[in-house]
Amino acid sequence: MNSDVRSGWSKLLKPFRGAPLGWRLRLAVIVLMVATIATVWITNRLLTDRFTESTRNRAELRLALYSGNLLSELRRNSIVPQLLARDPTLISALQSRDYSLSTQRLISFVEEIGAASLMLLDGDGRTVAATDRNRLGEAHRNIPYFVDAIRSNATIFSVIPKESGGYSFVYSRRLENSAEILGVIVVEVDLQKFEQAWAGISDAVMVTDSTGTIILSTEPRWRGLDEGAALLRQPPQGAIQRAIRATTDWTALPPDAYLQGEAVMRLETRIPFRGWQMTSFTTYASIREKVNSVLALEIMGFAILLALAFYALSRRATLRMTLFQRESAELRALNARLQREIAERERVEKTLDLAEQTLAQSSKLAALGEMSAAVSHELNQPLAAMKTYLAGARLLLRRNRPEEALASFGRIDGLIERMGAITRQLKSYARKGADAFSPVNLGEALASALSMMEPQLRQRHVKITQILPEEPVVVMGDRMRIEQVMVNLLRNALDATKSVAEPDVEIILAAGDTAVLTVRDNGHGIEDIENLFEPFYTTKQPGDGVGLGLAISSGIVNDHGGRLTARNGQYGGAVFEMQLPALGSDGLEAAE
């Protein structure tokens, strides 16, 4: 201790020098205890009020955000029945009673709309088309959303209890033509997704209708009850469990409920939709943690002061310590330091082992994620083609044309074999060693790829222009993987021409020392060429692609010793070129 500190302590303790050591010690302890209690009490009161207000403001902001999102979803879906009720395709299907394409049309709408499901009911209340095919043929004649829609010329909103628990939220509107009622379009709104989002926080949230019945809640046991009955049930696990046990009448809780021993605050807001209300219950656990951390620092500071006071009062006795005691203290300190260093070394070794294990597991999970994404992307095209062939086969069987239907089934069988080859090929990525390549005729591979894309080409009415050489163009490679690249390039060309009035795709196959396949479209071109071949980069809407097609295609071409390039055409559109080493006549004879 330096001279300034010694001088300060001497002035502080000057009044007590004539008093006995025990009396001075007791007086110092009493003064520090009183100061500690007063400071802790004031700090607890001020910080509790401050953190309570902050927690309340955040809870009110969350409640406003939740209610706004819920109202936005309801209003967005309310216009859907009115639009679908004017759809000429659905009206024509109800008039002709030909619903073969109605379900597919509803399925094409549901992803863009974001609704839970769509159903088309005929005049007798029977489901004739639905995004959920399991509901085809169901009778809805006595259900309110059908009865009310038939009677009214406006869009009807209904809340229907489910047998499995919870509620369905449905918009319905009748379809008519020249004052003739043809049927009813039913749009189910997906509000359960908000319950799942709300459940990820420490609040409990519920929505009640105009009668006070809980129709949405983070706690499934509350649905269908009023607020009082719901809170008497067995509470859920987690932070709200303490709140439910400690509270019987939420409406009677004052703003400073925590200071009175309660555990939650209750907030509610009105949703401007059919008298709905939203209520949230927020715990005070975070407030107590923040306040306790500050109080702990204060108590620790007073403890240090108390220790210093004891040290100052006993410094005379400390000066009388013998050299032996000092050396013993130094030895104990050295021993403790060595023990800490040993413990630190052991802790670092354990941390290193854990980090290595975590890194290995992360690598496995990353590889698994990439493999799953690749399988999903590569199987999407055959599945889409199988779906189209099945629809065509079903229509042919209905028209009593079994021979043509058998041809469609044969194509489906070929697609199944292709899917099996794709999965075997993806599994081979984990193995070392080169693939077993064989001579591949690019013209035949292109014809196979176009055959696979036939349903999409026929549906889109795309003009396909092929410029092929008279002599076969042969390369050394894996035909399945080369066809995979061709299908990806053709599919990207079709996607690029979706918004073009007269879509046109030009395919040029040229041969020399290098075999070059060029795919040119008349779309809007490429915006970001630099990131085009990066994994998971895509310009498509969510659900239309994962951004792996060009990345996988580029990897396949590189594995074959070639190169996949892209550029914007001189007169618009995008141009993709696949360049592979050509196999000459000498190389072909050697391969054979």
Side-chain angles (χ1 to χ4, degrees):
M1 184 178 293
N2 58 37
S3 59
D4 293 337
V5 176
R6 290 179 181 272
S7 177
W9 277 110
S10 298
K11 293 180 181 179
L12 179 63
L13 299 175
K14 186 176 181 179
F16 303 100
R17 283 181 177 172
L21 183 60
W23 181 83
R24 286 184 291 173
L25 179 60
R26 287 194 294 269
L27 181 60
V29 171
I30 292 173
V31 171
L32 283 175
M33 291 296 293
V34 172
T36 301
I37 294 173
T39 303
V40 169
W41 183 83
I42 295 173
T43 303
N44 179 71
R45 187 64 180 267
L46 293 177
L47 292 181
T48 299
D49 291 342
R50 178 181 176 182
F51 292 147
T52 298
E53 185 64 24
S54 176
T55 301
R56 181 181 294 106
N57 291 338
R58 289 197 299 269
E60 290 175 349
L61 180 61
R62 282 197 300 267
L63 197 62
L65 179 63
Y66 295 161
S67 61
N69 291 340
L70 188 64
L71 182 61
S72 176
E73 184 72 12
L74 289 168
R75 288 178 175 175
R76 183 170 63 85
N77 283 273
S78 64
I79 196 64
V80 175
Q82 185 176 356
L83 297 176
L84 294 182
R86 299 175 181 176
D87 187 78
T89 303
L90 298 180
I91 294 175
S92 175
L94 289 171
Q95 289 176 331
S96 63
R97 298 186 179 274
D98 181 7
Y99 310 110
S100 58
L101 300 178
S102 300
T103 294
Q104 186 63 32
R105 185 165 183 81
L106 293 182
I107 292 175
S108 67
F109 288 149
V110 72
E111 293 183 358
E112 300 177 3
I113 295 171
S117 65
L118 300 175
M119 289 191 300
L120 179 65
L121 311 181
D122 61 10
D124 297 327
R126 185 175 60 88
T127 304
V128 295
T131 56
D132 183 1
R133 299 180 185 273
N134 295 326
R135 305 192 67 176
L136 292 175
E138 289 184 356
H140 304 265
R141 186 176 185 84
N142 298 323
I143 299 180
Y145 55 72
F146 175 78
V147 177
D148 295 341
I150 289 295
R151 295 175 179 175
S152 174
N153 193 30
T155 301
I156 302 300
F157 180 78
S158 306
V159 179
I160 308 300
K162 296 181 179 178
E163 295 180 358
S164 58
Y167 293 87
S168 295
F169 305 92
V170 176
Y171 282 107
S172 59
R173 187 182 182 93
R174 72 186 186 189
L175 285 78
E176 56 185 359
N177 186 30
S178 301
E180 178 187 1
I181 299 176
L182 302 176
V184 172
I185 186 70
V186 178
V187 179
E188 183 177 356
V189 186
D190 184 12
L191 298 186
Q192 281 71 26
K193 62 183 179 182
F194 293 106
E195 292 181 323
Q196 299 172 1
W198 299 338
I201 59 174
S202 59
D203 294 359
V205 182
M206 64 182 180
V207 178
T208 57
D209 59 12
S210 58
T211 64
T213 302
I214 300 175
I215 55 178
L216 289 173
S217 173
T218 55
E219 170 52 45
R221 299 179 184 177
W222 290 356
R223 300 190 193 108
L225 305 175
D226 57 26
E227 187 173 346
L231 298 179
L232 293 177
R233 282 200 169 188
Q234 180 69 23
Q237 299 295 328
I240 304 303
Q241 182 178 12
R242 298 188 299 274
I244 301 299
R245 289 177 177 173
T247 308
T248 55
D249 184 6
W250 298 105
T251 59
L253 283 179
D256 56 348
Y258 183 83
L259 299 178
Q260 299 183 8
E262 303 295 345
V264 298
M265 66 171 66
R266 178 184 184 276
L267 299 174
E268 67 177 2
T269 185
R270 188 180 67 85
I271 302 175
F273 182 82
R274 299 179 176 269
W276 287 13
Q277 284 191 335
M278 178 177 287
T279 306
S280 70
F281 305 97
T282 306
T283 66
Y284 282 91
S286 60
I287 298 176
R288 187 70 269 162
E289 292 174 359
K290 294 178 182 178
V291 174
N292 287 344
S293 63
V294 177
L295 297 181
L297 291 176
E298 289 186 346
I299 294 173
M300 183 176 65
F302 280 106
I304 294 174
L305 290 177
L306 183 61
L308 292 176
F310 277 109
Y311 171 77
L313 294 174
S314 61
R315 72 184 187 281
R316 292 181 180 179
T318 305
L319 295 176
R320 297 171 186 173
M321 290 289 182
T322 62
L323 180 61
F324 175 76
Q325 292 174 329
R326 185 179 302 172
E327 292 178 352
S328 299
E330 291 176 355
L331 290 174
R332 287 194 297 270
L334 178 59
N335 186 36
R337 187 165 59 254
L338 291 175
Q339 291 179 353
R340 286 195 299 270
E341 290 180 358
I342 293 173
E344 181 67 18
R345 287 178 179 272
E346 293 177 350
R347 187 187 64 81
V348 170
E349 291 178 356
K350 293 180 179 179
T351 303
L352 181 59
D353 293 340
L354 181 60
E356 291 177 352
Q357 296 174 5
T358 303
L359 181 59
Q361 184 66 17
S362 299
S363 300
K364 294 178 183 178
L365 292 177
L368 180 60
E370 292 179 1
M371 182 64 68
S372 300
V375 171
S376 175
H377 179 272
E378 297 306 325
L379 294 184
N380 182 54
Q381 189 66 33
L383 287 174
M386 289 171 62
K387 190 174 183 181
T388 303
Y389 284 138
L390 282 174
R394 187 183 297 110
L395 184 60
L396 291 171
L397 289 175
R398 288 178 179 174
R399 295 180 177 179
N400 197 18
R401 296 160 65 182
E403 292 80 7
E404 298 181 21
L406 286 176
S408 297
F409 288 131
R411 292 183 178 180
I412 292 173
D413 183 64
L415 290 174
I416 292 175
E417 292 180 359
R418 180 180 181 85
M419 292 170 64
I422 289 175
T423 57
R424 289 193 300 271
Q425 169 196 320
L426 290 175
K427 288 190 292 184
S428 69
Y429 288 167
R431 296 196 295 267
K432 298 291 184 180
D435 292 330
F437 288 168
S438 61
V440 178
N441 188 329
L442 291 185
E444 295 178 355
L446 177 61
S448 178
L450 289 172
S451 175
M452 185 174 180
M453 296 292 296
E454 180 182 355
Q456 289 87 336
L457 296 173
R458 185 168 58 252
Q459 182 180 5
R460 290 280 312 281
H461 302 290
V462 179
K463 179 183 178 183
I464 301 295
T465 303
Q466 300 185 55
I467 302 177
L468 307 178
E470 296 181 357
E471 298 296 328
V473 180
V474 182
V475 299
M476 202 67 163
D478 185 342
R479 173 165 177 170
M480 183 64 64
R481 302 179 70 188
I482 292 175
E483 288 182 9
Q484 179 181 343
V485 175
M486 293 179 176
V487 169
N488 281 332
L489 296 181
L490 291 173
R491 185 180 181 185
N492 286 340
L494 292 182
D495 293 339
T497 57
K498 282 185 177 179
S499 58
V500 178
E502 296 181 357
D504 186 6
V505 177
E506 184 179 11
I507 304 172
I508 304 174
L509 180 60
D513 294 337
T514 302
V516 180
L517 176 68
T518 304
V519 179
R520 186 193 312 270
D521 62 66
N522 62 340
H524 298 291
I526 306 170
E527 297 180 359
D528 189 0
I529 296 182
E530 294 182 359
N531 297 322
L532 188 63
F533 295 101
E534 293 294 328
F536 302 104
Y537 171 81
T538 179
T539 58
K540 300 177 182 179
Q541 297 297 323
D544 291 342
V546 297
L548 286 173
L550 290 177
I552 293 174
S553 299
S554 178
I556 293 174
V557 175
N558 291 337
D559 291 344
H560 284 72
R563 187 175 63 167
L564 181 62
T565 62
R567 68 178 188 275
N568 286 318
Q570 183 177 2
Y571 302 103
V575 180
F576 286 87
E577 286 188 356
M578 179 180 68
Q579 303 175 10
L580 295 173
L583 187 63
S585 59
D586 296 339
L588 180 59
E589 293 175 358
E592 293 176 350

